[in-house]
Amino acid sequence: MSKKKLSYTARRQKEAVNKKAIIWAGSIVVGIVVLMTILLIWNP
């Protein structure tokens, strides 16, 4: 039996999930960097 290839929409959905994960991870990292910068500036 040959494996059925994924349709275009199914492949697009998998890519969209990966893009969402990358965006979430990136925004968390940027948030941490901004928080650390603010704390360093406010340090007496």
Side-chain angles (χ1 to χ4, degrees):
M1 282 190 216
S2 65
K3 291 185 179 180
K4 186 176 179 182
K5 289 186 178 180
L6 288 175
S7 67
Y8 177 73
T9 54
R11 282 183 287 173
R12 283 296 285 172
Q13 286 176 347
K14 282 187 178 182
E15 290 177 11
V17 171
N18 290 338
K19 286 180 185 177
K20 275 187 181 178
I22 291 170
I23 290 169
W24 269 101
S27 63
I28 290 169
V29 168
V30 169
I32 291 171
V33 169
V34 168
L35 181 65
M36 289 296 172
T37 303
I38 291 170
L39 290 173
L40 284 171
I41 290 171
W42 281 355
N43 193 13

